[in-house]
Amino acid sequence: SPSQGYYTRRGGVGESGDFITSPEISQVFGELIGIWYISEWMAVGKPNTFQLVELGPGRGTLTEDILRVFKQLASVLSKCDVSVHLVEVSPKLSEIQAEMLTGGKAQPNPEDKSAYMKGVSKTGIPIFWYRDIQDVPPGYSFYLAHEFFDALPIHKFQRTEKGWREVLVDIDPEVPDQLRFVLSPSRTPATQNFIQPEETREHVEVCPEAGVIVQRLASRIEKDGGAALVADYGHDGTKTDTFRGFRNHKLHDVLSAPGTADLTADVDFSYLRKMAQGRTATLGPIKQREFLKNMGIDLRLQVLLQNSSDTATREQLLHSYDMLMNPEKMGDCFNFFALLPHHRLVHPDKKDKPESKSPLPPVAGFNELLLK
Ligand code: SAH
């Protein structure tokens, strides 16, 4: 809802909000993602321009950490024209992002119908804000969606003796100001359109909006090149009832006080893979702790520990490493998933001289990082 929705009213990412995310826990998370993009950019022969497109940037911390890596590796990127494109619906969060990334140097952009705001990062990179991925100009792009897809609305379905029924929200006739879940008395358009014929689960959550966005990402990558990195909690088509709410870092009844709590459902990566419709190759989902380990988090931690002399900083570094990597915390339930052009993984068919092909560099994160 543009007026009463959670992200337009509250949008509480961070320690003082309703939920905390990996980039808010440790700078290392964003740094390693920044290295991932540079490694992909190098693997395809260092194109002379790319767009970094982030969906749902929250407070802007992840982009800030990525841009710091781009600055540190300025000599590597020196001939590359980089721009940042943020897709954000929340007016409040876009203000916070502008403050974080540009230090207040962003202005509304009323003459441009697509980007509603523009600015320049503290490191000199142009940044644009949009409400929809379709407004982002075409071109070679690296996409990023961290804890974005889980925030999009879902449909819930229950298998019954009479076939699939949709779980709907109703006004409770017995308790004033109370909502309740009901099953649709018959099939609904959503039961007819969104359940895969081969579905075996008894209860399913489907996020059609995520499907549409993945289709768009896959078409754009197929046409203009680039890659998309999706990181979120989720499963590969196995889980059933995951819809839940968070308020002040505690579980919150999804039906009480709508618009005041973060509502979320696990991302079904098998559905995202299906929605790429073969336009791109996909990698993952792979567990966060494996992805970060492959990206060299252990080495990065050692360097940061060596460079910090005070005990409090060292403890903070170890604590945040544990939060990101511990299988009981974020290490196992968060996953990484990527969309890449087919030619990034398999040589396009060249009939003559197949032996002359050099092997394609492995994709970092999903394999060990090999940066030369
Ligand atoms: N990526 C950030 C924040 C995740 S919270 C982090 O990891 O910290 C989800 C983000 O998606 C918020 O910025 C929210 O405002 C944005 N968002 C939610 N629904 C959206 C939609 N339909 N289109 C674009 N952005 C959306």
Side-chain angles (χ1 to χ4, degrees), residues 7 13 19 21-24 54-59 62 87-90 93 97 131 146-148 151-152 209:
Y7 280 107
V13 191
F19 59 104
T21 59
S22 297
E24 302 293 333
E54 188 180 359
L55 308 178
R59 303 174 57 82
L62 188 47
V87 181
E88 176 58 81
V89 283
S90 160
L93 284 174
Q97 293 151 16
R131 290 196 182 84
H146 181 256
E147 285 216 36
F148 170 72
L152 300 180
E209 209 177 316

